[in-house]
Amino acid sequence: GQNIDQPTEMTATEGAIVQINCTYQTSGFNGLFWYQQHAGEAPTFLSYNVLDGLEEKGRFSSFLSRSKGYSYLLLKELQMKDSASYLCAVLDSNYQLNWGAGTKLIIKP
Amino acid sequence: IAGITQAPTSQILAAGRRMTLRCTQDMRHNAMYWYRQDLGLGLRLIHYSNTAGTTGKGEVPDGYSVSRANTDDFPLTLASAVPSQTSVYFCASSAGPSGSYNEQFFGPGTRLTVL
């Protein structure tokens, strides 16, 4: 079966940097997505990686290592509004999206 | 309308009742999806549609049905609701077919409680 693992919860301080990890075991791989979901709201797209390496987009960066089945989302200069859940999702060989349970990020002042 | 809308926002339903959750998008996206989200679990795909007139089963389709009569609308029906269907339901759409590289855009969700 498909397996997407993320930490359940993380805490970080405003202004700091945090790295949210995602490991996956899926039948094939056609890309990995990161979404942000504020409490009570819908998920919104953050990033997509299909090749190894780092993709930077402002304060957010996403890294992928296909050989290790591993990705991380890096958030810099944390702001209180970054308090949210971060969802990792992997596109498998059947082009089905497999979602992790999400990591709840708590930002403290 | 801008993006995807869902109705109702929330609903309390007696077990055994029939319920249709509505979803409409104005982005002319080809693909649409229905997910349920439960605490501690990832989003789980119920049904999807790659284009108007076609539908497919996702990971957890039992007890649910969908139709795609046109591009914009993708209603989800619970024929006879059971308490295990208590969840938050999200509708989503993407420009390309199911599972493509295109990002999915989500509606605001419907919070359904079945008693």
Side-chain angles (χ1 to χ4, degrees):
Chain A
Q2 321 289 30
N3 197 34
I4 315 292
D5 285 322
Q6 317 177 224
T8 302
E9 187 174 297
M10 299 182 70
T11 302
T13 304
E14 189 177 16
I17 299 173
V18 71
Q19 177 176 311
I20 302 174
N21 296 325
C22 172
T23 58
Y24 62 89
Q25 290 178 308
T26 57
S27 54
F29 178 83
N30 279 297
L32 186 145
F33 293 82
W34 283 97
Y35 281 76
Q36 180 189 58
Q37 185 177 25
H38 285 100
E41 297 183 8
T44 55
F45 171 80
L46 286 178
S47 67
Y48 170 72
N49 294 68
V50 66
L51 299 176
D52 290 350
L54 187 68
E55 295 275 346
E56 297 187 78
K57 193 183 293 186
R59 294 189 298 114
F60 292 11
S61 303
S62 55
F63 171 84
L64 175 67
S65 169
R66 288 172 298 173
S67 63
K68 295 182 179 178
Y70 168 69
S71 172
Y72 67 72
L73 182 68
L74 191 71
L75 292 73
K76 303 175 185 176
E77 302 169 14
L78 286 170
Q79 301 175 10
M80 297 304 293
K81 67 179 182 179
D82 298 330
S83 293
S85 289
Y86 292 85
L87 314 180
C88 172
V90 175
L91 206 55
D92 65 23
S93 59
N94 294 320
Y95 289 92
Q96 294 297 313
L97 257 186
N98 301 276
W99 294 83
T103 299
K104 182 179 181 180
L105 178 63
I106 299 168
I107 310 296
K108 295 186 175 180
Chain B
I1 299 177
I4 302 182
T5 59
Q6 292 184 235
T9 302
S10 65
Q11 182 76 45
I12 298 175
L13 191 66
R17 297 297 295 267
R18 180 184 179 90
M19 175 75 191
T20 295
L21 308 185
R22 299 185 299 278
C23 175
T24 299
Q25 54 104 357
D26 66 353
M27 298 177 282
R28 308 305 295 173
H29 281 173
N30 287 312
M32 297 187 75
Y33 316 84
W34 274 106
Y35 291 95
R36 60 178 291 173
Q37 187 175 40
D38 302 290
L39 198 62
L41 300 177
L43 288 163
R44 292 184 290 169
L45 183 65
I46 304 171
H47 285 286
Y48 66 93
S49 168
N50 283 335
T51 189
T54 69
T55 61
K57 293 182 179 180
E59 179 185 356
V60 288
D62 294 343
Y64 306 94
S65 64
V66 291
S67 61
R68 186 89 184 277
N70 56 61
T71 298
D72 299 345
D73 301 300
F74 191 42
L76 175 74
T77 297
L78 289 67
S80 179
V82 294
S84 62
Q85 292 178 310
T86 294
S87 188
V88 179
Y89 291 85
F90 286 103
C91 179
S93 72
S94 64
S98 170
S100 67
Y101 310 123
N102 299 281
E103 64 180 278
Q104 293 184 13
F105 294 83
F106 285 79
T110 294
R111 186 174 296 275
L112 182 67
T113 302
V114 182
L115 301 176

